[in-house]
Amino acid sequence: MARILLAEDEESLRDLVARALIQDGHEVVANCDGAAALDALLRDEGRYDLLLTDIKMPIMDGIALALAASRDYPALPILLMTGYADQRERAYGLELLIRDVIQKPFTLATICGAVRDALAVPQMH
């Protein structure tokens, strides 16, 4: 079981992904935007096994969140999600920080599989 920090501004998708990951045996801390997720990450002193974040969100987007998270917690695996091709392109050059970019719409099996794959990779320190 992994402790996953989830950042997704679309409430229905956030709830759906959180429920799927919980059913897959994980603990999920869900947040409505990157700033709230970063607050949770700092408050919990980085005690997460994975950061799963949407790229396009208000207040703080997923790229800014990934950069802040990797600066403070470089061993934290990061998965990005996006429904926008231009947002996916923004993730190029971040290969050392992120494990994958999952294209929306996705199936719950796809997101659970991507999470399992990201967690299976040995931690980088």
Side-chain angles (χ1 to χ4, degrees), residues 5-8 29-48 51-53 57-73 76 78:
L5 181 59
L6 171 63
E8 167 61 61
V29 176
N31 296 271
C32 62
D33 62 58
L38 183 58
D39 286 347
L41 183 65
L42 297 173
R43 181 183 61 243
D44 295 335
E45 299 175 343
R47 288 189 295 270
Y48 291 92
L51 169 60
L52 175 60
T53 179
M57 294 182 291
I59 304 175
M60 174 186 259
D61 71 12
I63 300 290
L65 174 58
L67 291 170
S70 65
R71 177 195 65 222
D72 295 337
Y73 304 101
L76 179 65
I78 300 169

mmCIF file of all heavy atoms in Angstrom, residues 5-8 29-48 51-53 57-73 76 78:
data_model
loop_
_atom_site.group_PDB
_atom_site.id
_atom_site.type_symbol
_atom_site.label_atom_id
_atom_site.label_comp_id
_atom_site.label_asym_id
_atom_site.label_seq_id
_atom_site.Cartn_x
_atom_site.Cartn_y
_atom_site.Cartn_z
ATOM 1 N N LEU A 5 -0.400 11.385 -2.923
ATOM 2 C CA LEU A 5 -0.891 12.756 -2.893
ATOM 3 C C LEU A 5 -1.468 13.059 -4.269
ATOM 4 O O LEU A 5 -0.767 12.983 -5.271
ATOM 5 C CB LEU A 5 0.264 13.717 -2.568
ATOM 6 C CG LEU A 5 -0.076 15.196 -2.464
ATOM 7 C CD1 LEU A 5 -1.125 15.445 -1.376
ATOM 8 C CD2 LEU A 5 1.181 15.999 -2.180
ATOM 9 N N LEU A 6 -2.758 13.361 -4.315
ATOM 10 C CA LEU A 6 -3.483 13.598 -5.563
ATOM 11 C C LEU A 6 -3.881 15.063 -5.665
ATOM 12 O O LEU A 6 -4.424 15.623 -4.715
ATOM 13 C CB LEU A 6 -4.737 12.708 -5.604
ATOM 14 C CG LEU A 6 -5.750 12.940 -6.724
ATOM 15 C CD1 LEU A 6 -5.135 12.656 -8.092
ATOM 16 C CD2 LEU A 6 -6.989 12.083 -6.501
ATOM 17 N N ALA A 7 -3.592 15.671 -6.821
ATOM 18 C CA ALA A 7 -4.021 17.050 -7.084
ATOM 19 C C ALA A 7 -4.772 17.069 -8.407
ATOM 20 O O ALA A 7 -4.212 16.765 -9.452
ATOM 21 C CB ALA A 7 -2.823 17.993 -7.142
ATOM 22 N N GLU A 8 -6.057 17.393 -8.342
ATOM 23 C CA GLU A 8 -6.932 17.432 -9.526
ATOM 24 C C GLU A 8 -8.039 18.421 -9.239
ATOM 25 O O GLU A 8 -8.740 18.293 -8.228
ATOM 26 C CB GLU A 8 -7.492 16.033 -9.807
ATOM 27 C CG GLU A 8 -8.631 15.964 -10.795
ATOM 28 C CD GLU A 8 -8.275 16.471 -12.190
ATOM 29 O OE1 GLU A 8 -7.382 15.899 -12.825
ATOM 30 O OE2 GLU A 8 -8.913 17.444 -12.635
ATOM 31 N N VAL A 29 -4.556 11.158 -0.362
ATOM 32 C CA VAL A 29 -4.848 12.483 0.161
ATOM 33 C C VAL A 29 -5.130 13.346 -1.064
ATOM 34 O O VAL A 29 -4.226 13.625 -1.855
ATOM 35 C CB VAL A 29 -3.664 13.041 0.989
ATOM 36 C CG1 VAL A 29 -3.950 14.464 1.436
ATOM 37 C CG2 VAL A 29 -3.384 12.132 2.182
ATOM 38 N N ALA A 30 -6.400 13.718 -1.250
ATOM 39 C CA ALA A 30 -6.828 14.421 -2.463
ATOM 40 C C ALA A 30 -6.931 15.923 -2.214
ATOM 41 O O ALA A 30 -7.401 16.358 -1.161
ATOM 42 C CB ALA A 30 -8.171 13.875 -2.930
ATOM 43 N N ASN A 31 -6.476 16.694 -3.214
ATOM 44 C CA ASN A 31 -6.486 18.155 -3.144
ATOM 45 C C ASN A 31 -7.050 18.729 -4.433
ATOM 46 O O ASN A 31 -6.895 18.148 -5.500
ATOM 47 C CB ASN A 31 -5.068 18.677 -2.935
ATOM 48 C CG ASN A 31 -4.494 18.232 -1.612
ATOM 49 O OD1 ASN A 31 -4.664 18.900 -0.613
ATOM 50 N ND2 ASN A 31 -3.833 17.073 -1.600
ATOM 51 N N CYS A 32 -7.650 19.939 -4.317
ATOM 52 C CA CYS A 32 -8.335 20.551 -5.453
ATOM 53 C C CYS A 32 -7.424 21.385 -6.346
ATOM 54 O O CYS A 32 -7.843 21.811 -7.424
ATOM 55 C CB CYS A 32 -9.508 21.391 -4.975
ATOM 56 S SG CYS A 32 -9.005 22.756 -3.908
ATOM 57 N N ASP A 33 -6.198 21.637 -5.929
ATOM 58 C CA ASP A 33 -5.258 22.372 -6.786
ATOM 59 C C ASP A 33 -3.836 22.149 -6.287
ATOM 60 O O ASP A 33 -3.615 21.546 -5.236
ATOM 61 C CB ASP A 33 -5.595 23.867 -6.849
ATOM 62 C CG ASP A 33 -5.520 24.555 -5.499
ATOM 63 O OD1 ASP A 33 -4.448 24.515 -4.862
ATOM 64 O OD2 ASP A 33 -6.534 25.134 -5.084
ATOM 65 N N GLY A 34 -2.885 22.651 -7.049
ATOM 66 C CA GLY A 34 -1.487 22.433 -6.724
ATOM 67 C C GLY A 34 -1.048 23.097 -5.432
ATOM 68 O O GLY A 34 -0.231 22.544 -4.692
ATOM 69 N N ALA A 35 -1.582 24.278 -5.146
ATOM 70 C CA ALA A 35 -1.196 24.975 -3.914
ATOM 71 C C ALA A 35 -1.631 24.183 -2.687
ATOM 72 O O ALA A 35 -0.863 24.040 -1.724
ATOM 73 C CB ALA A 35 -1.798 26.376 -3.895
ATOM 74 N N ALA A 36 -2.845 23.650 -2.708
ATOM 75 C CA ALA A 36 -3.331 22.834 -1.588
ATOM 76 C C ALA A 36 -2.498 21.565 -1.447
ATOM 77 O O ALA A 36 -2.169 21.135 -0.341
ATOM 78 C CB ALA A 36 -4.809 22.495 -1.782
ATOM 79 N N ALA A 37 -2.137 20.963 -2.588
ATOM 80 C CA ALA A 37 -1.307 19.747 -2.560
ATOM 81 C C ALA A 37 0.085 20.047 -2.011
ATOM 82 O O ALA A 37 0.627 19.280 -1.213
ATOM 83 C CB ALA A 37 -1.207 19.141 -3.952
ATOM 84 N N LEU A 38 0.664 21.182 -2.420
ATOM 85 C CA LEU A 38 1.979 21.553 -1.905
ATOM 86 C C LEU A 38 1.907 21.814 -0.404
ATOM 87 O O LEU A 38 2.801 21.392 0.347
ATOM 88 C CB LEU A 38 2.527 22.777 -2.646
ATOM 89 C CG LEU A 38 3.939 23.209 -2.245
ATOM 90 C CD1 LEU A 38 4.957 22.089 -2.457
ATOM 91 C CD2 LEU A 38 4.343 24.448 -3.030
ATOM 92 N N ASP A 39 0.840 22.460 0.050
ATOM 93 C CA ASP A 39 0.651 22.666 1.493
ATOM 94 C C ASP A 39 0.619 21.333 2.225
ATOM 95 O O ASP A 39 1.249 21.167 3.275
ATOM 96 C CB ASP A 39 -0.644 23.440 1.775
ATOM 97 C CG ASP A 39 -0.547 24.922 1.420
ATOM 98 O OD1 ASP A 39 0.578 25.414 1.197
ATOM 99 O OD2 ASP A 39 -1.612 25.572 1.350
ATOM 100 N N ALA A 40 -0.115 20.359 1.671
ATOM 101 C CA ALA A 40 -0.209 19.033 2.288
ATOM 102 C C ALA A 40 1.156 18.344 2.296
ATOM 103 O O ALA A 40 1.552 17.724 3.291
ATOM 104 C CB ALA A 40 -1.233 18.174 1.550
ATOM 105 N N LEU A 41 1.875 18.459 1.194
ATOM 106 C CA LEU A 41 3.198 17.833 1.081
ATOM 107 C C LEU A 41 4.144 18.402 2.144
ATOM 108 O O LEU A 41 4.849 17.649 2.823
ATOM 109 C CB LEU A 41 3.757 18.073 -0.321
ATOM 110 C CG LEU A 41 5.105 17.436 -0.648
ATOM 111 C CD1 LEU A 41 5.009 15.920 -0.622
ATOM 112 C CD2 LEU A 41 5.597 17.911 -1.996
ATOM 113 N N LEU A 42 4.153 19.706 2.291
ATOM 114 C CA LEU A 42 5.028 20.346 3.275
ATOM 115 C C LEU A 42 4.577 20.046 4.698
ATOM 116 O O LEU A 42 5.395 19.751 5.574
ATOM 117 C CB LEU A 42 5.082 21.852 3.028
ATOM 118 C CG LEU A 42 5.686 22.268 1.677
ATOM 119 C CD1 LEU A 42 5.541 23.768 1.461
ATOM 120 C CD2 LEU A 42 7.127 21.825 1.551
ATOM 121 N N ARG A 43 3.261 20.108 4.927
ATOM 122 C CA ARG A 43 2.715 19.832 6.262
ATOM 123 C C ARG A 43 3.064 18.410 6.707
ATOM 124 O O ARG A 43 3.397 18.165 7.859
ATOM 125 C CB ARG A 43 1.193 20.027 6.244
ATOM 126 C CG ARG A 43 0.511 19.785 7.578
ATOM 127 C CD ARG A 43 -1.008 19.912 7.482
ATOM 128 N NE ARG A 43 -1.576 18.939 6.564
ATOM 129 C CZ ARG A 43 -2.228 19.235 5.436
ATOM 130 N NH1 ARG A 43 -2.403 20.487 5.055
ATOM 131 N NH2 ARG A 43 -2.704 18.286 4.661
ATOM 132 N N ASP A 44 2.997 17.462 5.755
ATOM 133 C CA ASP A 44 3.277 16.057 6.067
ATOM 134 C C ASP A 44 4.747 15.708 5.859
ATOM 135 O O ASP A 44 5.116 14.526 5.857
ATOM 136 C CB ASP A 44 2.391 15.151 5.216
ATOM 137 C CG ASP A 44 0.911 15.323 5.550
ATOM 138 O OD1 ASP A 44 0.587 15.740 6.679
ATOM 139 O OD2 ASP A 44 0.071 15.040 4.674
ATOM 140 N N GLU A 45 5.582 16.725 5.662
ATOM 141 C CA GLU A 45 7.032 16.572 5.524
ATOM 142 C C GLU A 45 7.412 15.561 4.445
ATOM 143 O O GLU A 45 8.335 14.765 4.619
ATOM 144 C CB GLU A 45 7.661 16.218 6.875
ATOM 145 C CG GLU A 45 7.435 17.310 7.909
ATOM 146 C CD GLU A 45 7.938 16.954 9.300
ATOM 147 O OE1 GLU A 45 8.168 15.755 9.574
ATOM 148 O OE2 GLU A 45 8.082 17.882 10.093
ATOM 149 N N GLY A 46 6.654 15.567 3.346
ATOM 150 C CA GLY A 46 6.988 14.727 2.202
ATOM 151 C C GLY A 46 6.715 13.250 2.381
ATOM 152 O O GLY A 46 7.199 12.437 1.592
ATOM 153 N N ARG A 47 5.958 12.881 3.386
ATOM 154 C CA ARG A 47 5.719 11.457 3.651
ATOM 155 C C ARG A 47 4.649 10.884 2.708
ATOM 156 O O ARG A 47 3.567 10.488 3.133
ATOM 157 C CB ARG A 47 5.349 11.239 5.112
ATOM 158 C CG ARG A 47 6.541 11.434 6.051
ATOM 159 C CD ARG A 47 6.238 10.999 7.475
ATOM 160 N NE ARG A 47 5.215 11.816 8.104
ATOM 161 C CZ ARG A 47 5.466 12.920 8.811
ATOM 162 N NH1 ARG A 47 6.692 13.341 8.979
ATOM 163 N NH2 ARG A 47 4.473 13.591 9.360
ATOM 164 N N TYR A 48 4.990 10.876 1.448
ATOM 165 C CA TYR A 48 4.141 10.293 0.410
ATOM 166 C C TYR A 48 5.008 9.401 -0.460
ATOM 167 O O TYR A 48 6.212 9.626 -0.582
ATOM 168 C CB TYR A 48 3.491 11.384 -0.462
ATOM 169 C CG TYR A 48 2.460 12.182 0.287
ATOM 170 C CD1 TYR A 48 2.799 13.362 0.943
ATOM 171 C CD2 TYR A 48 1.140 11.739 0.369
ATOM 172 C CE1 TYR A 48 1.862 14.090 1.648
ATOM 173 C CE2 TYR A 48 0.193 12.464 1.072
ATOM 174 C CZ TYR A 48 0.561 13.622 1.712
ATOM 175 O OH TYR A 48 -0.372 14.330 2.422
ATOM 176 N N LEU A 51 3.310 11.380 -6.041
ATOM 177 C CA LEU A 51 2.515 12.570 -6.329
ATOM 178 C C LEU A 51 1.853 12.352 -7.682
ATOM 179 O O LEU A 51 2.541 12.110 -8.669
ATOM 180 C CB LEU A 51 3.394 13.823 -6.363
ATOM 181 C CG LEU A 51 2.746 15.104 -6.902
ATOM 182 C CD1 LEU A 51 1.534 15.504 -6.068
ATOM 183 C CD2 LEU A 51 3.761 16.232 -6.965
ATOM 184 N N LEU A 52 0.534 12.412 -7.721
ATOM 185 C CA LEU A 52 -0.250 12.273 -8.949
ATOM 186 C C LEU A 52 -0.991 13.586 -9.141
ATOM 187 O O LEU A 52 -1.844 13.939 -8.334
ATOM 188 C CB LEU A 52 -1.233 11.101 -8.817
ATOM 189 C CG LEU A 52 -2.217 10.886 -9.954
ATOM 190 C CD1 LEU A 52 -1.494 10.615 -11.272
ATOM 191 C CD2 LEU A 52 -3.156 9.735 -9.620
ATOM 192 N N THR A 53 -0.639 14.315 -10.205
ATOM 193 C CA THR A 53 -1.213 15.647 -10.368
ATOM 194 C C THR A 53 -1.625 15.944 -11.802
ATOM 195 O O THR A 53 -0.948 15.537 -12.745
ATOM 196 C CB THR A 53 -0.231 16.732 -9.867
ATOM 197 O OG1 THR A 53 -0.823 18.020 -10.059
ATOM 198 C CG2 THR A 53 1.100 16.691 -10.600
ATOM 199 N N MET A 57 -4.349 23.379 -13.751
ATOM 200 C CA MET A 57 -5.196 23.655 -12.586
ATOM 201 C C MET A 57 -5.067 25.131 -12.233
ATOM 202 O O MET A 57 -4.046 25.746 -12.532
ATOM 203 C CB MET A 57 -4.737 22.832 -11.370
ATOM 204 C CG MET A 57 -4.900 21.346 -11.503
ATOM 205 S SD MET A 57 -4.397 20.485 -9.987
ATOM 206 C CE MET A 57 -2.621 20.748 -10.010
ATOM 207 N N PRO A 58 -6.081 25.672 -11.563
ATOM 208 C CA PRO A 58 -5.973 27.065 -11.109
ATOM 209 C C PRO A 58 -5.013 27.175 -9.922
ATOM 210 O O PRO A 58 -4.652 26.169 -9.323
ATOM 211 C CB PRO A 58 -7.406 27.404 -10.688
ATOM 212 C CG PRO A 58 -8.014 26.087 -10.339
ATOM 213 C CD PRO A 58 -7.364 25.067 -11.239
ATOM 214 N N ILE A 59 -4.635 28.372 -9.601
ATOM 215 C CA ILE A 59 -3.782 28.746 -8.470
ATOM 216 C C ILE A 59 -2.337 28.273 -8.688
ATOM 217 O O ILE A 59 -1.453 29.083 -8.851
ATOM 218 C CB ILE A 59 -4.339 28.299 -7.108
ATOM 219 C CG1 ILE A 59 -5.748 28.870 -6.922
ATOM 220 C CG2 ILE A 59 -3.405 28.731 -5.976
ATOM 221 C CD1 ILE A 59 -6.459 28.407 -5.686
ATOM 222 N N MET A 60 -2.090 26.976 -8.685
ATOM 223 C CA MET A 60 -0.762 26.428 -8.972
ATOM 224 C C MET A 60 -0.956 25.213 -9.852
ATOM 225 O O MET A 60 -1.662 24.281 -9.470
ATOM 226 C CB MET A 60 -0.039 26.035 -7.681
ATOM 227 C CG MET A 60 1.293 25.326 -7.919
ATOM 228 S SD MET A 60 2.059 24.727 -6.402
ATOM 229 C CE MET A 60 3.284 25.991 -6.156
ATOM 230 N N ASP A 61 -0.356 25.227 -11.048
ATOM 231 C CA ASP A 61 -0.552 24.089 -11.948
ATOM 232 C C ASP A 61 0.372 22.933 -11.571
ATOM 233 O O ASP A 61 1.224 23.046 -10.686
ATOM 234 C CB ASP A 61 -0.411 24.505 -13.413
ATOM 235 C CG ASP A 61 1.017 24.832 -13.834
ATOM 236 O OD1 ASP A 61 1.973 24.535 -13.093
ATOM 237 O OD2 ASP A 61 1.171 25.384 -14.937
ATOM 238 N N GLY A 62 0.171 21.813 -12.255
ATOM 239 C CA GLY A 62 0.915 20.598 -11.941
ATOM 240 C C GLY A 62 2.400 20.682 -12.225
ATOM 241 O O GLY A 62 3.198 20.033 -11.548
ATOM 242 N N ILE A 63 2.794 21.469 -13.220
ATOM 243 C CA ILE A 63 4.220 21.628 -13.518
ATOM 244 C C ILE A 63 4.908 22.369 -12.369
ATOM 245 O O ILE A 63 5.957 21.951 -11.876
ATOM 246 C CB ILE A 63 4.438 22.377 -14.855
ATOM 247 C CG1 ILE A 63 3.811 21.623 -16.029
ATOM 248 C CG2 ILE A 63 5.920 22.643 -15.083
ATOM 249 C CD1 ILE A 63 4.470 20.343 -16.437
ATOM 250 N N ALA A 64 4.301 23.469 -11.915
ATOM 251 C CA ALA A 64 4.866 24.220 -10.785
ATOM 252 C C ALA A 64 4.899 23.348 -9.531
ATOM 253 O O ALA A 64 5.878 23.376 -8.769
ATOM 254 C CB ALA A 64 4.064 25.491 -10.542
ATOM 255 N N LEU A 65 3.849 22.568 -9.316
ATOM 256 C CA LEU A 65 3.799 21.660 -8.168
ATOM 257 C C LEU A 65 4.905 20.616 -8.274
ATOM 258 O O LEU A 65 5.607 20.346 -7.299
ATOM 259 C CB LEU A 65 2.427 20.991 -8.090
ATOM 260 C CG LEU A 65 2.268 19.897 -7.028
ATOM 261 C CD1 LEU A 65 2.555 20.426 -5.625
ATOM 262 C CD2 LEU A 65 0.870 19.298 -7.116
ATOM 263 N N ALA A 66 5.076 20.024 -9.462
ATOM 264 C CA ALA A 66 6.119 19.010 -9.658
ATOM 265 C C ALA A 66 7.503 19.595 -9.399
ATOM 266 O O ALA A 66 8.349 18.950 -8.761
ATOM 267 C CB ALA A 66 6.035 18.437 -11.067
ATOM 268 N N LEU A 67 7.745 20.807 -9.883
ATOM 269 C CA LEU A 67 9.044 21.447 -9.669
ATOM 270 C C LEU A 67 9.297 21.710 -8.185
ATOM 271 O O LEU A 67 10.391 21.443 -7.674
ATOM 272 C CB LEU A 67 9.137 22.746 -10.468
ATOM 273 C CG LEU A 67 9.207 22.575 -11.991
ATOM 274 C CD1 LEU A 67 9.056 23.924 -12.688
ATOM 275 C CD2 LEU A 67 10.498 21.891 -12.404
ATOM 276 N N ALA A 68 8.278 22.222 -7.481
ATOM 277 C CA ALA A 68 8.429 22.492 -6.046
ATOM 278 C C ALA A 68 8.611 21.193 -5.262
ATOM 279 O O ALA A 68 9.465 21.111 -4.368
ATOM 280 C CB ALA A 68 7.212 23.258 -5.530
ATOM 281 N N ALA A 69 7.827 20.176 -5.602
ATOM 282 C CA ALA A 69 7.913 18.893 -4.895
ATOM 283 C C ALA A 69 9.277 18.242 -5.113
ATOM 284 O O ALA A 69 9.887 17.737 -4.166
ATOM 285 C CB ALA A 69 6.792 17.959 -5.364
ATOM 286 N N SER A 70 9.757 18.260 -6.359
ATOM 287 C CA SER A 70 11.034 17.611 -6.641
ATOM 288 C C SER A 70 12.208 18.382 -6.035
ATOM 289 O O SER A 70 13.226 17.796 -5.683
ATOM 290 C CB SER A 70 11.227 17.425 -8.146
ATOM 291 O OG SER A 70 11.319 18.670 -8.783
ATOM 292 N N ARG A 71 12.061 19.691 -5.885
ATOM 293 C CA ARG A 71 13.103 20.495 -5.243
ATOM 294 C C ARG A 71 13.227 20.106 -3.766
ATOM 295 O O ARG A 71 14.328 19.913 -3.258
ATOM 296 C CB ARG A 71 12.762 21.977 -5.383
ATOM 297 C CG ARG A 71 13.756 22.918 -4.686
ATOM 298 C CD ARG A 71 13.186 24.320 -4.552
ATOM 299 N NE ARG A 71 12.025 24.283 -3.671
ATOM 300 C CZ ARG A 71 10.899 24.951 -3.889
ATOM 301 N NH1 ARG A 71 10.747 25.711 -4.949
ATOM 302 N NH2 ARG A 71 9.894 24.864 -3.036
ATOM 303 N N ASP A 72 12.075 19.986 -3.091
ATOM 304 C CA ASP A 72 12.088 19.708 -1.660
ATOM 305 C C ASP A 72 12.178 18.219 -1.330
ATOM 306 O O ASP A 72 12.704 17.848 -0.281
ATOM 307 C CB ASP A 72 10.839 20.301 -0.996
ATOM 308 C CG ASP A 72 10.816 21.824 -1.067
ATOM 309 O OD1 ASP A 72 11.899 22.433 -1.208
ATOM 310 O OD2 ASP A 72 9.716 22.402 -1.005
ATOM 311 N N TYR A 73 11.649 17.382 -2.209
ATOM 312 C CA TYR A 73 11.612 15.931 -1.980
ATOM 313 C C TYR A 73 12.026 15.218 -3.264
ATOM 314 O O TYR A 73 11.183 14.657 -3.973
ATOM 315 C CB TYR A 73 10.215 15.494 -1.517
ATOM 316 C CG TYR A 73 9.784 16.245 -0.286
ATOM 317 C CD1 TYR A 73 8.908 17.315 -0.377
ATOM 318 C CD2 TYR A 73 10.306 15.909 0.962
ATOM 319 C CE1 TYR A 73 8.535 18.034 0.759
ATOM 320 C CE2 TYR A 73 9.942 16.624 2.096
ATOM 321 C CZ TYR A 73 9.060 17.685 1.994
ATOM 322 O OH TYR A 73 8.711 18.389 3.107
ATOM 323 N N LEU A 76 10.685 11.713 -4.422
ATOM 324 C CA LEU A 76 9.242 11.487 -4.583
ATOM 325 C C LEU A 76 8.906 11.249 -6.057
ATOM 326 O O LEU A 76 9.118 12.128 -6.884
ATOM 327 C CB LEU A 76 8.463 12.700 -4.065
ATOM 328 C CG LEU A 76 6.942 12.638 -4.180
ATOM 329 C CD1 LEU A 76 6.376 11.532 -3.298
ATOM 330 C CD2 LEU A 76 6.333 13.989 -3.825
ATOM 331 N N ILE A 78 6.718 11.213 -9.366
ATOM 332 C CA ILE A 78 5.659 12.114 -9.807
ATOM 333 C C ILE A 78 5.047 11.610 -11.104
ATOM 334 O O ILE A 78 5.767 11.285 -12.047
ATOM 335 C CB ILE A 78 6.214 13.543 -10.020
ATOM 336 C CG1 ILE A 78 6.810 14.086 -8.711
ATOM 337 C CG2 ILE A 78 5.123 14.470 -10.545
ATOM 338 C CD1 ILE A 78 7.611 15.362 -8.876
#
